[in-house]
Amino acid sequence: MNNKKVVLVVGAGDATGGAIAKRFAQEGFIACVTRRSADKLQPLVDAIKASGGEAHGFACDARKEEDVIALVEQIETQIGPIEAFVFNIGANVPCSILEETARKYFKIWEMACFSGFLNAREVAKRMATRQRGTILFTGATAGLRGASGFAAFAGAKHGIRALAQSMARELGPMNIHVAHVLVDGAIDTDFIRDSFPEKYATKDQDGILNPEHIAENYWYLHSQPRDAWTFELDLRPWNERW
């Protein structure tokens, strides 16, 4: 066990989640990152280590309570105290309400909402004993208004925003900063490049979100003095309609 601080990023994908882990690692945090497949985490772990940081990858199904409990226990006892936690699982899957199945609707809610509760609860228990910490949730426009064809995703994102609000009010007096980041716009990912080439073409005009710039805002939230905490921060390109 060392005295370094840990950032836990659940849903450390190739774009936003990975960029957040790298940003905190730049500040000396040990980056603990999770996905369902550990193999997909290796490039991120290697990149952080190549830059002089420390990182550990974990395969974890964020929807399974026993896995989440074991993950947090392992990190806290073997690596270090979790000072910052980022929940970054999306599950943005469109479907007409006329064709939506109960199974898929439930799975989207499990991934984008229920797993946020499980992970945040376990981390909050540890932070509460230390009376400090930061908990950050990645949200979306769907958390404010549901679009046609996105009933399942909107329901999950409304739920994670409500969870964040309740946690912020309960944990704030314990010196735990809880915030919700509303990302409104396309992010520079392979998915956007391949699926929405016209949108991706606006990258040169700053028309899509740069993951590194998103990550900078997560670090900003963590660094805020507690006399001026932000609960909700919305991020969008300058030309995004809203």
Side-chain angles (χ1 to χ4, degrees), residues 35-96:
R35 292 179 75 164
R36 276 182 289 181
S37 172
D39 292 342
K40 294 182 178 180
L41 288 167
Q42 200 57 49
L44 172 60
V45 170
D46 291 344
I48 291 173
K49 290 181 177 179
S51 298
E54 183 175 347
H56 303 271
F58 300 88
C60 181
D61 189 334
R63 303 167 298 172
K64 294 184 177 179
E65 185 174 26
E66 61 274 17
D67 290 3
V68 172
I69 292 172
L71 170 71
V72 173
E73 174 69 15
Q74 181 180 357
I75 293 171
E76 287 272 342
T77 57
Q78 299 180 17
I79 299 176
I82 300 170
E83 296 290 333
F85 166 70
V86 177
F87 179 75
N88 188 60
I89 295 178
N92 186 356
V93 182
C95 185
S96 166

Side-chain angles (χ1 to χ4, degrees), residues 8 10-11 34 36 60-65 68-69 71-72 85-91 106-123 137 156-157 159-160 163 167:
L8 171 59
V10 172
T34 79
R36 276 182 289 181
C60 181
D61 189 334
R63 303 167 298 172
K64 294 184 177 179
E65 185 174 26
V68 172
I69 292 172
L71 170 71
V72 173
F85 166 70
V86 177
F87 179 75
N88 188 60
I89 295 178
F106 182 75
K107 183 176 181 180
I108 290 171
W109 171 79
E110 265 194 319
M111 292 173 62
C113 184
F114 179 66
S115 62
F117 151 71
L118 285 179
N119 285 267
R121 182 196 67 185
E122 288 307 304
V123 171
F137 294 93
K157 283 301 184 181
I160 204 72
L163 172 70
M167 289 185 63

Side-chain angles (χ1 to χ4, degrees), residues 167-230:
M167 289 185 63
R169 291 183 169 97
E170 180 177 350
L171 301 179
M174 300 180 194
N175 194 35
I176 299 170
H177 184 189
V178 181
H180 179 256
V181 183
L182 196 155
V183 181
D184 181 20
I187 302 173
D188 186 0
T189 62
D190 292 341
F191 172 75
I192 295 297
R193 182 195 62 202
D194 297 338
S195 303
F196 303 96
E198 292 184 3
K199 185 66 176 179
Y200 194 80
T202 67
K203 176 181 177 179
D204 292 340
Q205 291 80 46
D206 300 323
I208 59 177
L209 288 140
N210 183 326
E212 292 182 0
H213 298 164
I214 297 174
E216 193 64 42
N217 280 279
Y218 279 71
W219 176 253
Y220 161 73
L221 287 170
H222 172 71
S223 303
Q224 283 184 324
R226 64 180 182 177
D227 66 319
W229 273 352
T230 293

